[in-house]
Amino acid sequence: MFDDSWLDDRQGWRGAEPVLRRLAEAGARLRRETEDALDPIRGLGDLPRPRAVIAAGSEARFIRAILEPVCPVPFVAWPAHGLPGWVGALDLVVVMASDAAPASLIASVHEAVRRGAQLVIAAPRPSLIAEHAMSSSTVLLPTATADPLAAAIVMLSALHEMQLGPEVRPDLVADAMDLVAEDCSPYADVSLNPAKDIALGLADAQPLVWGGSVLAARASRRVAEALRAATGRPALAADADALSPVLELTAPRDPFADPFEDGGGADRRPGLLVLEDGNGAELIRAARTRLTSAAERNDVRVCVIEHAHGSDVERYATLLQTGMFAAVYLAVGLGRYADLEN
């Protein structure tokens, strides 16, 4: 069972301190990666415009979500081994990788070099994948913090320099991350901490996570992954058409049910977590109304993470980081970090 007293008790969340510290340091990591990549990024403005852009590696789909609406050339996020057959010397391949890059991604980098494609790679300088990437057509954006999101934001800055994407202000994104870390600090009381509040809302629930815009939907999938990993519970991120039937078929709550007997396992009720990034499109508003109305009719609790100002990347980072903090606090309340203290 969920013990909410652990959320404001140092003894309760002490085992989670390394994870909470890494979340809190996200802004600092982004600043470091941005600083290290300044010089190679400055040289990208003189490169010719590519025929197409192919993104591979971690956060490739996040890059696609930002670039697709504005990129002046075709853009592909390529998750498979190797590269599309048409990729050649006229194309740009962008890769985000760690020093533990899988063999399939190393093979993709090797293939880009073999075909003579322009390659921009964010990776640690002393790494196997960086060694395979070296060529006269390669630009390395050195990374050092093993933070995929920071590397992706640095890559977005590089693509903007090449006039292929929107302007990204990593300093403002880092400031937004710092604000989340302050608001969601373990030292912030549960009554003022949005992440702890969400953990309370999902304490006995099977989470259903929804984001209406492309970026909010991407964040919802990442948050659902974090909830599954942190709690061991199923957590589903999907569009409104997939989540609506689950909410509609949920029986109203029994006020006489004993939570100690009826609140666990397969009988756990859903809880809806909405990620709201301020996208006011009519279809998105209608989908949110449909979901929340179905939840209200069937007494399903609705939790909201909302951030409606700043750039697309700032809003995405805020939604994502808040959801990540919430996943940790949910695990804390469930006692999943208790064994780490001993």
Side-chain angles (χ1 to χ4, degrees):
M1 297 294 293
F2 187 90
D3 186 344
D4 59 354
S5 68
W6 288 349
L7 299 182
D8 285 333
D9 183 350
R10 174 67 180 269
Q11 292 300 112
W13 50 259
R14 188 173 61 184
E17 280 186 308
V19 182
L20 291 169
R21 187 179 303 111
R22 180 160 179 82
L23 286 172
E25 293 171 349
R29 290 195 299 273
L30 176 55
R31 293 186 184 92
R32 176 178 176 181
E33 301 290 35
T34 302
E35 182 67 25
D36 291 348
L38 280 179
D39 286 341
I41 286 177
R42 289 192 185 103
L44 292 173
D46 297 331
L47 296 178
R49 175 175 291 182
R51 177 180 60 180
V53 180
I54 304 91
S58 62
E59 299 295 343
R61 289 184 174 87
F62 166 61
I63 297 287
R64 179 179 67 185
I66 296 292
L67 250 69
E68 267 190 337
V70 296
C71 187
V73 300
F75 184 94
V76 177
W78 191 255
H81 173 82
L83 294 172
W86 48 265
V87 173
L90 299 178
D91 303 304
L92 169 67
V93 178
V94 298
V95 175
M96 287 72 63
S98 68
D99 55 359
S104 59
L105 187 59
I106 294 176
S108 298
V109 166
H110 179 78
E111 188 69 12
V113 171
R114 187 184 69 82
R115 298 189 197 180
Q118 179 69 54
L119 176 64
V120 179
I121 179 170
R125 193 182 300 276
S127 61
L128 182 61
I129 194 166
E131 293 175 9
H132 280 269
M134 288 301 99
S135 75
S136 59
S137 300
T138 296
V139 175
L140 175 66
L141 309 179
T143 62
T145 67
D147 186 330
L149 181 57
I153 293 170
V154 169
M155 183 63 74
L156 286 172
S157 297
L159 291 168
H160 171 69
E161 186 70 18
M162 300 177 72
Q163 300 183 14
L164 296 171
E167 182 181 10
V168 177
R169 290 283 304 277
D171 57 329
L172 296 182
V173 180
D175 289 345
M177 290 175 166
D178 288 345
L179 185 58
V180 172
E182 181 179 343
D183 290 343
C184 299
S185 165
Y187 297 100
D189 184 82
V190 67
S191 63
L192 302 173
N193 188 318
K196 290 181 180 179
D197 185 61
I198 291 164
L200 288 172
L202 299 177
D204 301 315
Q206 180 171 318
L208 305 176
V209 191
W210 177 79
S213 70
V214 173
L215 279 173
R218 175 64 187 158
S220 74
R221 289 189 288 273
R222 294 288 309 280
V223 171
E225 291 170 4
L227 290 169
R228 288 194 294 268
T231 68
R233 295 179 181 177
L236 174 64
D239 60 24
D241 289 338
L243 296 181
S244 289
V246 180
L247 296 171
E248 294 288 2
L249 293 173
T250 301
R253 190 186 302 273
D254 180 359
F256 302 105
D258 185 341
F260 290 95
E261 294 182 359
D262 306 323
D267 297 326
R268 187 176 290 118
R269 294 175 59 78
L272 179 62
L273 176 58
V274 173
L275 304 189
E276 173 60 68
D277 66 351
N279 189 311
E282 183 177 351
L283 289 176
I284 294 176
R285 294 200 309 270
R288 175 172 175 171
T289 299
R290 178 156 48 103
L291 288 174
T292 55
S293 297
E296 183 178 353
R297 284 193 300 272
N298 295 286
D299 197 19
V300 172
R301 182 170 294 175
V302 179
C303 303
V304 180
I305 301 175
E306 186 169 8
H307 192 77
H309 60 272
S311 68
D312 288 345
V313 181
E314 290 171 61
R315 285 180 277 134
Y316 173 85
T318 299
L319 296 181
L320 179 61
Q321 291 296 107
T322 305
M324 295 295 187
F325 271 104
V328 176
Y329 290 130
L330 185 54
V332 167
L334 293 171
R336 290 176 64 86
Y337 285 103
D339 292 341
L340 298 180
E341 298 179 62
N342 302 321

